[in-house]
Amino acid sequence: MPPIIQSDFRSAFQLATAFCNLNRRFSFSRAASLRRPPTSFRSSPLRIRARAFSTNGRDKEYKVSNKPSICTADELHYISVNASDWRLALWRYLPSPQAPKRNHPLLLLSGVGTNAIGYDLSPEASFARHMSGQGYDTWILEVRGAGLSMEASEVQEIEKTAHEKSEQMEDVAETATAGASVSQLEDVAKTAMAGASSASSEPTNAQGDSTMVRIPGTKEEHPMGVPTVFDESKLVTKLTEFFMNLSGRVSGFLSEGHSQIIVAKFFDQISQLYKESFLSEAFNETREKLLRLLETKQDSAVASQIKDLSQKLITIIEESERTVSPPLNNLQERFISTVEEIQRQLELIVKYDWDFDHYLEEDVPAAMEYIKALTKPQDGKLLAVGHSMGGILLYALLSRYGHEERESDLAAIVTLASSLDYRSSKSSLKLLVPLAEPAQALNVPAVPLGALLTMAFPLSSRPPYVLSWLNHMISAEDMMHPKLLKKLILNNFCTIPAKLLLQLASAFRDGGLCDRSGKFFYKDHLHKSNVPVLAIAGDKDIICPIEAVHDTVKLIPKNLVTYKVFGEPEGPHYAHYDLVGGRQAVDQVYPCIANFLNQNDG
């Protein structure tokens, strides 16, 4: 891939939040509230009993009686995971009565930031349907944050929310190509890729004119740029809540020092307004006191002190308005904007507060336990297929089983375009993991990959084909039907937490992918596994090149692993998603997987 394209794409991801704000239709939702601290990071056993729920509000299984239209499976189930309000969606494809009876159910795991649709693009290109036609009770797990999975504390919310999410996904697909002109979308893409650090500072209406806006915390609406008087009580309350949230470390984002990073960024922005002000000394004193309080365990005394300091901070702002030179007469407006910006960032961090180990330790085990409870395999095991990150999760499970010297819950696995170590390859996955340090991650707490690709799709599929190279990352030339490629891009991708990307980035460092502690390297224990593995690679896959796949394959005992590369010198060729949705997958890849699983279904 040309260096300029890599640079532009990296910039686009780093600026994804601003990029999506340029078009509200494709913006991702904000957190509803900061009502409670999220689950703290801790090691948890892989054997986690699934919690689901019933119509009486108790924790039991729940099967949706009226499936939303986006779900093309036979059934839609929801399960819960421990210490969380997340309800994970499970798409179920019932085994064909004409097929041989199988001994094991089959679990399908999708890639990073993707949902179940990739495994079921159409009746003619559906790996899930193919396997149910082979007699397997087939399930696709949508992990937290993907597809129809949701946060819902009450069972009454589930079916309604599932339909709302389904409608939203379908609406995005319709408006992506019809709701905006190519020239408008091209301007948006050029703005993001030129390295713009934020959306326009002046809100405009659809015609591009300045609008009347209401600045949070002020008394009245006014044209942008005209200062108003603070509504002190509201702003003190808002500012106090903001600092209390940081003091309580509600986000649990990266480390005990994350709140200091956020508040330091906040104060750095505010302090730029005081370079020539005689009040800068008072501001700096207030800042130091607040920073010390954020190190203190939250209690009523701390809350009172933070409220007093918030009041003092606002008083300093008002005093500056009256005394500083005209160039600084928008201090109030800029102060409020900064508070709102940091607050939105904190809400995103709280909303997208999970990593790879959450999937490994909570989501996948919960799904496995639930499926086994319903299907009752005689040996208590199931079969599994994982694409991209889904395969990485399966490798990590085998590594954990081997390290703990206990019997695996998996009878056999198939990985598609997956690796635990990408160092030897030129994987374009690096474009998705540009975040190297916690401070960088705080600038982009979540990457709205789905929104980004939705906005880019018209530029990649219609003249002048500004972003046509994006398509080749997904599918090789002429390997996926245009309608299916469109469906894959517009409906399959989701928002990815920066914390997840930070952990996946370890796959490009010495030792390969490791757990969140940085001490357990998953590939170190893969040789201890006793589970048969079929590892498949695509010859034109630039996301997970064949070199990366082979680097993991060679760690598995030779008598247990089968390695297969799809693609011929003269074609057909296979890129990352062609292994599950390409034109030739039905005739070449699907039978290969089915034969392997059939051999290991005894």
Side-chain angles (χ1 to χ4, degrees), residues 451-481:
L452 184 64
L453 292 179
T454 297
M455 290 287 286
F457 178 73
L459 304 179
S460 65
S461 59
R462 300 205 303 249
Y465 302 105
V466 177
L467 297 177
S468 59
W469 55 271
L470 271 174
N471 291 349
H472 299 307
M473 293 181 64
I474 295 171
S475 176
E477 187 174 359
D478 295 328
M479 269 298 284
M480 193 174 291
H481 191 286

Side-chain angles (χ1 to χ4, degrees), residues 395 415-422 424-425 535-538 541 544-556 563-565:
Y395 282 142
T415 64
L416 305 169
S418 305
S419 177
L420 293 173
D421 190 343
Y422 288 81
S424 66
S425 70
I536 292 177
D541 190 340
C544 186
I546 56 177
E547 297 86 1
V549 176
H550 188 259
D551 279 349
T552 298
V553 166
K554 64 187 182 183
L555 302 172
I556 304 169
Y563 175 51
K564 173 71 176 175
V565 178

Side-chain angles (χ1 to χ4, degrees), residues 277-279 314-324 331:
S277 172
F278 71 93
L279 291 169
I314 292 168
T315 301
I316 292 172
I317 294 287
E318 288 199 312
E319 182 65 21
S320 297
E321 285 281 286
R322 292 191 293 270
T323 59
V324 299
L331 280 174

Side-chain angles (χ1 to χ4, degrees), residues 464-522:
Y465 302 105
V466 177
L467 297 177
S468 59
W469 55 271
L470 271 174
N471 291 349
H472 299 307
M473 293 181 64
I474 295 171
S475 176
E477 187 174 359
D478 295 328
M479 269 298 284
M480 193 174 291
H481 191 286
K483 288 185 178 179
L484 299 187
L485 180 62
K486 176 182 176 181
K487 182 177 181 180
L488 183 74
I489 292 175
L490 299 184
N491 283 140
N492 186 55
F493 295 94
C494 316
T495 296
I496 308 173
K499 187 187 296 185
L500 172 59
L501 295 181
L502 280 167
Q503 189 171 355
L504 290 176
S506 66
F508 292 90
R509 296 194 287 267
D510 289 345
L513 183 71
C514 61
D515 69 354
R516 66 172 67 99
S517 73
K519 298 177 181 178
F520 186 91
F521 293 88
Y522 290 108

Side-chain angles (χ1 to χ4, degrees), residues 227-263:
T228 62
V229 177
F230 279 127
D231 183 336
E232 285 193 26
S233 62
K234 290 183 180 179
L235 192 55
V236 168
T237 299
K238 180 185 290 290
L239 199 59
T240 301
E241 289 177 352
F242 169 62
F243 286 125
M244 289 295 287
N245 286 331
L246 287 174
S247 178
R249 296 187 174 91
V250 296
S251 71
F253 182 55
L254 292 165
S255 68
E256 289 298 300
H258 77 278
S259 58
Q260 283 69 33
I261 296 173
I262 297 176
V263 79

